Amino acid sequence: MDYQFKEIEQKWQKHWAQNQTFKAEQDSSKPKFYVLDMFPYPSGAGLHVGHPLGYIASDVFSRYKRLKGFNVLHPMGYDSFGLPAEQYAIQTGQHPALTTETNINTYRKQLDQIGFSFDWNREVRTSDPAYYKWTQWVFMQLFNSWYNLETDRAEDITSLIEKFNAAGSADVKAVCDEEVASFLPSDWAVMSAEQKQEELLKYRLTYLRESTVNWCPALGTVLANDEVKDGYSERGGHPVEQKKMMQWSMRISAYAERLLQGLNTIDWPEPVKEMQRNWIGKSVGASVRFKIEGADAAVLGTDYIEVFTTRVDTIFGVSYLVLAPEHELVAALTTPGQEVAINNYITQTKKKSELDRMADTKTVSGAFTGSYVINPVNGECVQLWIADYVLAGYGTGAVMGVPSGDQRDWLFARHFDLPVVQILDAQKDIELQADATKEGKYLNSGFINGLRYAEATQTLNTWLEERGAGKAKINYRMRDAIFGRQRYWGEPIPVYFKDGLPYLIKEEELPLLLPEIDKYLPTETGEPPLGRAEDWSYEDQYDYELSTMPGWAGSSWYWYRYMDANNGTAFASKEAIQYWKDVDLYIGGAEHATGHLLYSRFWNKFLKDLGYVQEEEPFKKLINQGMIQGRSNFVYRVVDADGKGTNTLVSYGLRKEYKTSALHVDVNIVENEILNIEKFKLFRPEFEQAEFILENGKYICGVEVEKMSKSKFNVVNPDILIENYGADTLRMYEMFLGPIEQSKPWNTNGIEGVFKFLRKFWRLFHNEAWVFHVEDGVPSKAELKALHKIIKKVQDDIERFSFNTSVSSFMIAVNELTELKCKNRQVLEDLVVVLSSYAPHICEELWSLLGHKAGSLSFVSYPEFKPEYMVEDEFSYPISVNGKTRLNLSLSLALEPSAIEQAVLSNEDVQKYLEGKTPKKVIVVKGRIVNLVI
RNA sequence: GCCCGGAUGGCGAAAUUGGUAAACGUUGCGGUCUCAGAAGCCGUUGGAGUACAAUCCUUGAGAGUUCGAGUCUCUCUUCGGGCACCA
């Protein structure tokens, strides 16, 4: 029988499912290997050819690791809470759970067709109450924890209470809110329960606080920083504004340093690490206090302004100080004479959107408050300004202006005619621009004159600290993550309110189920959708929290659930976590760099602090698969003088001769840019009578690379390819396309080549009459060489994630063996094993035809590479003369190293070049002559 | 502006530590088989050159190191990604 891929693939997919071939068990006799894909959000559109790319790569890797004797965990699930299902619910009234269920079924059907070796017993869905029970549980642990800087880890809140009982707040070194009360144990003892709760909330790792948030009116919810791009929501692209709201937050800032340091221990793509480093944004510097001239602490609440700087060494060059317009002291420090100017400036700033403010970096603007501050190092009195180039949200919202060392400060000083003071002898041309050098020695700088950068910084930090005027400080750009969303389709937060304070429900009351509501919109009073739920209160009297958790909550720990997916008493058993530990290989898109991948590391570190998990980092090795873009085709419709489309279409090469407009055309009716006109008429009936202006008898279409989307008619559906060529061809072709990490447009053109290869491979095992035919016996040298070349190559390629080169090598190997008319059982059997990771269905079929037990192929040993089979009697010996002319000599293998040199020099061709002379220089690399210089 | 990553035939690409650039696939062209098509098989497909060959040139541009550079160093061009009044 010819290669009947449809029957073969259905047969083996059924076999794997029925026999649960890929069910993973804890088995300590084998080393474990955990291969994870980023689980998908099941969208209604189903899979296009780009989606499975990463899944195929991880499946090839998983199957390969099984052959190598590893106990492989390779699960799959769905990140099934999210906005699209909810938006759909708003439009249609259909419950998001139903939409989600339908979409998941579509996904599963499509995934199954590709022949993945997932262990579906471990499937998870983040919207399943049995799953989100544990997401809520993690939330509770966070609420019950604080970050102790002394032990540098999260601890149970009871250890904080003990500290308060014993010594008040004095001993406590914690990551907490800025305004925490300082109190004695006796103060603590007399506090009411409510006061205590209020105080503790400032320390909890998840907390409720009034904070400035990104509010998206169109979506009716707040968004985390990573969900906002350039002032617009990442999902939907709606405008986002700043707003003050009571919000749940996660104290991820407590882990800033550990998240940063951990990056050095994991094998991730450098760009992703770099993005996380940027996001965390560590800057080492100092905070310095500038006394306010003539300030009364009793009236103002303070008598100094604190600034953060990374260049404390430039402090003698300070010629002014700037506050952010939103700084809380601005109003109090504005003198009556400046009030109008300052208020105008603030109004002006407010009008500018966040976007404008970021985009407009050239205009210098600001206003003088009328107040002065005193430079602590030299007692100099400098002006206090406000300007919108200073951001309220970073550092202290106040900056010292050093025009000679910072270009922005320089521009500001020039614009408002403030002094520019040189502070380093190495600074050049400071009349023209700032010079941020750290070279040279200080001048005009009081007690650091003559010192160099490192020394000066040290001296200043000590000097300032001794006088209580400042100290060395590390600042992080990363803010705490906003955790609440005013949406329906997410995990309910397991909290109720009593006297305005939040309390956790009891652990045994989990999961707190998402209540049913009539409409998926905010209430008339502006409360989140959960406000519509009737009879939904805690102990029939207390209100539940109405926000739900953000999309990243469920995905921040899911890899642990796979370890023990059906556990009802813990998120995963201790034994399972101990055995599977962490993810060895994680494959997914780079778009999650500062979202999912950062939050996951955060929760993982937290769970480790509490002793629930083993490893500090969850994902040892990360691969970012590239995006597959669409490749759109166009036809060109001739446009008449009025700009109206006519009924004439012109081929790509001739379109310049007419006025045309381009129309998308379905890529599935175009082959090698040649339009199938008959199919086109069916696709666009309005052009049934159209005239086609052809070139060389063909209609050529235009091409452009765009995002794959239905509206652009450039979506290639894997189902159709599987129908025409089979899953094995699709799998191999996707791997063949190019390096896994590279983004590229999809082009179905080359798929024939892979299909031909699989047919050739099938033919190797059959005679002319398509009867299965292999021969026992001893393989020839040439056969063994071809086989062992591919054994080695595939092994090396997979280990370095170079899947595309493996596919090429398979083609070469099969061509060689076809040439050799190889029918040898031993050779062909090994070949089946080697190929089975890429094309599992056809290999299973051949494996069983070879007389092996069905399904055993996935767990046999990968053939051992034997270098001795690679050796030939003669070897080809390239040599260059004068680094230019190349000679290819053929030498006997039997030669000793010393004899090789003799053989080379006495070779006829070499002699021709030498013309009787001895070479001036003989260059030997790894014991071989590679070049002769004459 | 700053930080990463790229640039190799018509196209996708290969070249793992510096050692015969373009493997493998595709497209195009020619042939074979066939009533015909599909499928298969064979040849050819970077450029110059020639009757055939020999030979020379070619990895975005320019320089450098080296016997030898797609690979290493510097400068530039350009494309992609990230960050961006971050003090």
Side-chain angles (χ1 to χ4, degrees), chain A residues 572-832:
Chain A
S573 73
K574 275 237 170 312
E575 297 73 44
I577 294 168
Q578 196 127 35
Y579 180 73
W580 296 110
K581 287 191 177 67
D582 55 6
V583 175
D584 295 282
L585 174 65
Y586 195 23
I587 297 188
E591 65 273 17
H592 298 108
T594 50
H596 162 63
L597 286 171
L598 196 63
Y599 296 129
S600 294
R601 294 180 61 220
F602 161 41
W603 279 28
N604 190 79
K605 286 172 193 297
F606 167 71
L607 289 171
K608 173 160 194 277
D609 285 351
L610 265 55
Y612 290 112
V613 305
Q614 308 276 308
E615 301 292 324
E616 177 79 14
E617 289 289 340
F619 315 124
K620 257 193 255 172
K621 162 99 188 156
L622 175 71
I623 298 269
N624 291 128
Q625 96 269 19
M627 254 222 296
I628 297 217
Q629 293 133 305
R631 194 170 174 285
S632 307
N633 279 116
F634 294 91
V635 293
Y636 300 89
R637 182 183 201 181
V638 176
V639 174
D640 65 17
D642 306 329
K644 279 212 302 219
T646 63
N647 213 18
T648 305
L649 297 166
V650 58
S651 181
Y652 177 77
L654 304 171
R655 75 191 190 289
K656 290 268 162 68
E657 293 166 25
Y658 305 83
K659 219 174 125 193
T660 58
S661 66
L663 301 173
H664 276 98
V665 55
D666 190 340
V667 292
N668 295 300
I669 61 172
V670 177
E671 211 183 323
N672 291 327
E673 325 316 347
I674 298 166
L675 180 70
N676 184 325
I677 293 175
E678 292 314 310
K679 285 188 187 164
F680 178 72
K681 285 178 177 169
L682 291 174
F683 164 66
R684 281 288 186 95
E686 70 265 36
F687 288 115
E688 214 184 330
Q689 302 302 323
E691 231 183 282
F692 293 85
I693 301 175
L694 309 177
E695 45 184 321
N696 304 327
K698 293 163 187 160
Y699 189 97
I700 313 288
C701 296
V703 185
E704 232 172 90
V705 173
E706 301 177 290
K707 219 185 131 173
M708 220 178 250
S709 98
K710 268 190 182 161
S711 62
K712 298 184 174 109
F713 298 106
N714 61 1
V715 174
V716 181
N717 189 304
D719 303 5
I720 293 170
L721 297 176
I722 289 172
E723 174 72 21
N724 293 340
Y725 301 102
D728 283 336
T729 299
L730 177 73
R731 289 169 62 105
M732 289 200 86
Y733 184 58
E734 293 228 5
M735 292 295 94
F736 180 67
L737 270 181
I740 182 78
E741 304 216 54
Q742 198 166 300
S743 289
K744 55 231 154 191
W746 176 267
N747 190 346
T748 308
N749 262 349
I751 200 167
E752 288 279 349
V754 174
F755 187 53
K756 276 185 207 166
F757 155 74
L758 282 174
R759 277 200 310 240
K760 265 190 200 171
F761 176 66
W762 180 254
R763 194 173 309 132
L764 264 184
F765 295 79
H766 293 80
N767 62 18
E768 280 87 37
W770 290 113
V771 175
F772 182 76
H773 173 77
V774 296
E775 288 159 9
D776 294 306
V778 181
S780 74
K781 262 188 182 174
E783 288 168 347
L784 282 170
K785 192 185 162 194
L787 172 68
H788 282 266
K789 205 160 74 184
I790 189 76
I791 292 173
K792 171 96 163 64
K793 178 76 170 134
V794 168
Q795 177 176 303
D796 290 354
D797 284 348
I798 294 184
E799 302 274 359
R800 70 189 170 107
F801 307 100
S802 176
F803 302 104
N804 56 329
T805 51
S806 274
V807 180
S808 292
S809 305
F810 280 125
M811 294 180 178
I812 297 170
V814 166
N815 281 340
E816 281 174 357
L817 291 174
T818 305
E819 190 105 333
L820 292 166
K821 300 199 164 46
C822 175
K823 291 285 169 204
N824 185 275
R825 171 180 294 272
Q826 193 188 323
V827 171
L828 294 179
E829 244 178 42
D830 280 355
L831 186 63
V832 167

Side-chain angles (χ1 to χ4, degrees), chain A residues 29 80 93 114 245 281 386 576 594 708 838-839 851 929:
Chain A
S29 70
S80 46
I114 305 175
M245 279 178 80
I386 65 169
T594 50
M708 220 178 250
Y838 286 85
I929 300 174

Side-chain angles (χ1 to χ4, degrees), chain A residues 60-90:
Chain A
V60 169
F61 204 84
S62 304
R63 288 177 179 271
Y64 168 78
K65 279 287 173 185
R66 280 191 202 100
L67 299 177
K68 280 284 184 182
F70 287 85
N71 187 27
V72 173
L73 175 57
H74 188 216
M76 182 46 84
Y78 307 96
D79 191 9
S80 46
F81 272 133
L83 277 180
E86 181 163 356
Q87 295 294 59
Y88 189 73
I90 291 170

